[in-house]
Amino acid sequence: MFKSSSTKENVCSPGGHMGLEMNFYHRGFSASFQPAFKRSRYKYESALEWTGETGNRFETRYDVEQRLDVIELPLMIKYDVIRSGKIRPFVMVGGFHSIITSAQKEVAITQVDYSSGTPLRSSGGTSTIGVKDAFNNFSGVAGGVGVNLDYWNIRTVFEVNYKRSLTSATKANVRQNELASLGETNDEVHLRDINISLSFVFPFRFIDQQFKAY
């Protein structure tokens, strides 16, 4: 008899992003377009177990790391909570669309044989394959907080935002890859990220005491 199981422990993993910001300001409100290259990573575990009629048991465990590289196109609306002074906290809300550029899955396989009474572990090796065809471009919503620090003609921006995909990043009917024969296939995936960023903005107009908003 075969039985499969999975766990979502240790799903979160650090990633990274870099990009540009184009910002239009008017009376405390800003429309901000922030194209960026982003790498997302997450991990999970799954297992496939065989049990014989005599009670013999054999288990195959999969430790999986999924990496996604995307071009992210966010459009955010910001509002300055404090509109005067060199330190200006703000809140923001908006949406984004992510375009998949590449995807890789790395699977470490461990086999456990219980037939002798004492579990005997052996490595089944590690496989890394490209799985871009298993993923869709996806869209979602975002919101967060931050602060602007204006000094000379440079604006330093610190942001913390939360992003959640509203559409699945994986395809429902995907061509099977070589890992599918081992029992490792994708579920429907909705990504949720906490992004922390530090930006340096060089405006076309001065932002010191000579600056006047539109």
Side-chain angles (χ1 to χ4, degrees), residues 21-34 73-81 89-96 141-146 148 159-161 163:
E21 177 175 354
M22 290 168 276
N23 194 49
F24 179 80
Y25 178 86
H26 180 69
R27 297 182 181 274
F29 287 92
S30 301
S32 178
F33 180 55
Q34 305 172 353
L73 304 173
L75 181 61
M76 307 295 292
I77 302 299
K78 300 181 180 181
Y79 176 70
D80 290 345
V81 178
F90 61 84
V91 295
M92 57 184 176
V93 66
F96 67 92
V141 294
V145 296
N148 294 322
E159 292 182 3
V160 178
N161 61 59
K163 293 180 179 178

Side-chain angles (χ1 to χ4, degrees), residues 88-127:
R88 302 184 182 186
F90 61 84
V91 295
M92 57 184 176
V93 66
F96 67 92
H97 181 70
S98 292
I99 301 172
I100 301 288
T101 60
S102 68
Q104 280 192 326
K105 177 179 288 190
E106 181 177 297
V107 183
I109 303 170
T110 303
Q111 298 169 336
V112 187
D113 189 350
Y114 295 90
S115 59
S116 63
T118 300
L120 299 176
R121 297 174 183 269
S122 61
S123 174
T126 300
S127 297

Side-chain angles (χ1 to χ4, degrees), residues 43 48 58 70 90 92 110 148 152 168 179 210-211 214:
K43 297 181 179 181
L48 186 65
F58 186 83
V70 304
F90 61 84
M92 57 184 176
T110 303
N148 294 322
W152 291 331
S168 176
L179 295 179
Q210 302 177 38
F211 172 76
Y214 290 108

Side-chain angles (χ1 to χ4, degrees), residues 37-72:
F37 172 81
K38 181 175 181 180
R39 167 163 288 185
S40 297
R41 299 168 56 237
Y42 60 89
K43 297 181 179 181
Y44 61 92
E45 300 173 358
S46 61
L48 186 65
E49 181 182 295
W50 175 84
T51 303
E53 294 181 358
T54 60
N56 293 337
R57 187 156 61 97
F58 186 83
E59 185 179 60
T60 303
R61 298 178 181 176
Y62 307 98
D63 294 304
V64 184
E65 178 179 311
Q66 176 69 63
R67 296 187 292 271
L68 290 178
D69 292 337
V70 304
I71 299 298
E72 191 170 78

